[in-house]
């Protein structure tokens, strides 16, 4: 696939980018090279290859979800710089 300067300018317009003439020429060559490489990869026979989400096997490393007693309000607020009636006191952020 051959990328034209018009293609690069169209993509730049969609991305709301202003390109100089030099940048447009550079990106035209770079995008053409990228798509040529992708086209070369499409030539590979992948008929017997199973699609994978990860290159290496993954295992779930989460612990079991076990219900435990809460630490309690007093312990949760023990190091709070300011508290009011069992709640953290924070600066007002909405007027």
């Amino acid at each position: 696939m051959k990328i034209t300067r018009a293609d690069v300018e169209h993509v730049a317009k969609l991305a709301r980018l202003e390109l100089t003439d030099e940048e447009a020429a550079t990106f035209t060559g770079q995008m053409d090279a990228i798509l040529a490489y992708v086209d070369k990869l499409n030539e590979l026979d992948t008929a017997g290859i199973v699609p994978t989400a990860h290159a290496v096997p993954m295992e779930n490393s989460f612990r079991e979800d076990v219900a435990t007693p809460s630490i309690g309000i007093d312990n949760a607020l023990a190091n709070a710089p300011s508290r009011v009636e069992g709640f953290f006191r924070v600066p007002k952020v909405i007027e």
Side-chain angles (χ1 to χ4, degrees), residues 38-49:
V38 170
D39 200 35
K40 184 176 181 180
L41 290 176
N42 285 332
E43 295 174 5
L44 294 173
D45 180 21
T46 58
I49 307 298

Side-chain angles (χ1 to χ4, degrees), residues 22-69:
E22 183 180 313
E23 289 171 331
T26 301
F27 292 142
T28 301
Q30 290 176 348
M31 288 178 69
D32 191 52
I34 291 168
L35 291 178
Y37 183 72
V38 170
D39 200 35
K40 184 176 181 180
L41 290 176
N42 285 332
E43 295 174 5
L44 294 173
D45 180 21
T46 58
I49 307 298
V50 179
T52 59
H54 296 279
V56 295
M58 298 291 293
E59 291 183 24
N60 190 350
S61 61
F62 298 127
R63 64 175 169 78
E64 284 292 319
D65 190 13
V66 179
T68 58

